[in-house]
Amino acid sequence: MRERFQQLPDPEPERVALAQANGRVLTEDILAPENVPAFPNSQMDGYALTAHAAVSTSRIFTVGADIAAGASLKNFVPEDGIAYPIMTGAEVPAGLSAVVPEEKCEPQGEKDGSFAAFQSEVYIPTTQPGQFVRQPGEDIKVGEILARAGEKISAVLVGALAAQGIKEVTVQGARRVLVVTGGDEVAANDTPAPSHIRDANGPMLIQLLAEDSAISKHLHIQDDPQKLIHHLDQAIHEFSPHLIISSGGISHGKFEVIKNAIHLLMENPTELTVQKLWFGHVSQQPGGPQGIMELAHRGSSENILWLAFPGNPVSTLISYRMFLRPHLNTSWYYTGTHLGKLQTAEPLEGLAGKTQYRRATITRASSESNATAEWLIEPDPQTGSHLLHRAAQANALVEIEPNKHYTNGDILRWYPLSTIETM
Ligand SMILES: Nc1nc2c(c(=O)[nH]1)N[C@H]1C(S)=C(S)[C@@H](COP(=O)(O)OP(=O)(O)OC[C@H]3O[C@@H](n4cnc5c(N)ncnc54)[C@H](O)[C@@H]3O)O[C@H]1N2
Ligand code: MOO
């Protein structure tokens, strides 16, 4: 099943404004159009000296004119006997070579704030030419690679790109995902009739997708296969999804709308035809019942992959996290292996022949003496796949392998559900 997800087509690249680019994946290398810094500038509030003055034996200087940040000095001719008050970030004019922080210097007469006053005298210790002067291109030089194709844009990279005057970038297009939830018991509005429930899975899936930079459209359905096909046809036409995910309607009941609609569609193709189909159980709990289909849509050359997750809310969550998220969000956070130490008063037993994913709270062991980070795992003792509020209290899933016996302190694999706050 996992291999089928590898076939998820890459959406076409798109240009986006830098302000919208955080979290997106670059599809091209970006070369620096400018040197950063663009000009030599002071790293300190202090006195700027010529190279000769920096090392000269005579250390009393006359205070010259100020060089403020943002000031552009033209035709400036520095003198060896003069120390120029210069501010952090101010351009160091040609001919000046070093900056000595003001707190290292001793005004000999009147003061102007913490500096010696204009034309008064100041003692300045010797320094090295170049000291506290930030050189052009020190961070990055024109033509060097600023960011690479495949790189995920971070807030920090947004800053570095903005520092180069870059306003737009080309990124992997957002995946369009059609989210199908409902069933006769799931109210389509805010006032559920008796024995009806509100939709939890639709809003949850839409937000999970948003966390993975995908765009979604929601289709609320009833247990009527004919209507589902009609609405699906329409939604595919309007939204051209790369992927469909649904929750519910696939197990052993009498009104399994997803299964029924797919079978109906196989008998009576519309604009849509079913190309591949698999319904079955994967050996895990929750999230055992699964479906995977490929639909062809007249007018589109690409088949649309459809992942049919089971309807219990925690089963939907775990299916998304374990099967889909690692393909949409390739950060180490979601693709890496995380190990931690089980915290449990009672031993835990793995299920017969099935991997169990328990909701868990992960914390960081607070041992000062232990230099290596160590994670502690506290599994939720409740395992019901309808317990969505409890799942919202967890920050990870812990993998309980089939037929295994675990006791306190055992090392287990865990999967972050969200950003682990203590990380
Ligand atoms: N005879 C069997 N019955 C069931 C089996 C089985 O193997 N044999 N498997 C169970 C397991 S495990 C799961 S998981 C569910 C999967 O069922 P479906 O995918 O068909 O889902 P539904 O029956 O439609 O719904 C299950 C459950 O989830 C609630 N639900 C559905 N959609 C939403 C929503 N959008 N928001 C909130 N809650 C939702 C629904 O009301 C049901 O309670 O099947 C078991 N049965
Ligand atoms: O797989 Mo069901 O997902 O156990 O609740």
Side-chain angles (χ1 to χ4, degrees), residues 13-16 25-28 30 153 168-173:
E14 59 183 342
R15 294 284 288 171
V16 295
V25 176
L26 284 170
T27 53
E28 59 183 11
I30 298 179
I153 298 176
E168 280 189 342
V169 286
T170 307
V171 295
Q172 227 170 55

Side-chain angles (χ1 to χ4, degrees), residues 179-198:
V179 173
V180 181
T181 66
D184 279 356
E185 82 281 22
V186 183
N189 56 39
D190 263 347
T191 44
S195 310
H196 285 211
I197 59 168
R198 293 189 175 86

Side-chain angles (χ1 to χ4, degrees), residues 180-183 185-186 197-203 218 220 223 247-253 255-257 281 284-290 308-313 315-316 354 385-386 388:
V180 181
T181 66
E185 82 281 22
V186 183
I197 59 168
R198 293 189 175 86
D199 186 359
N201 297 349
H218 189 199
H220 185 93
D223 284 340
S247 98
I250 58 164
S251 59
H252 298 244
F255 315 104
E256 304 296 8
V257 64
H281 271 81
Q284 71 172 54
Q285 193 276 324
Q290 296 286 341
F309 297 148
N312 278 315
S315 312
T316 297
K354 271 188 192 175
S385 59
H386 57 303
L388 192 59

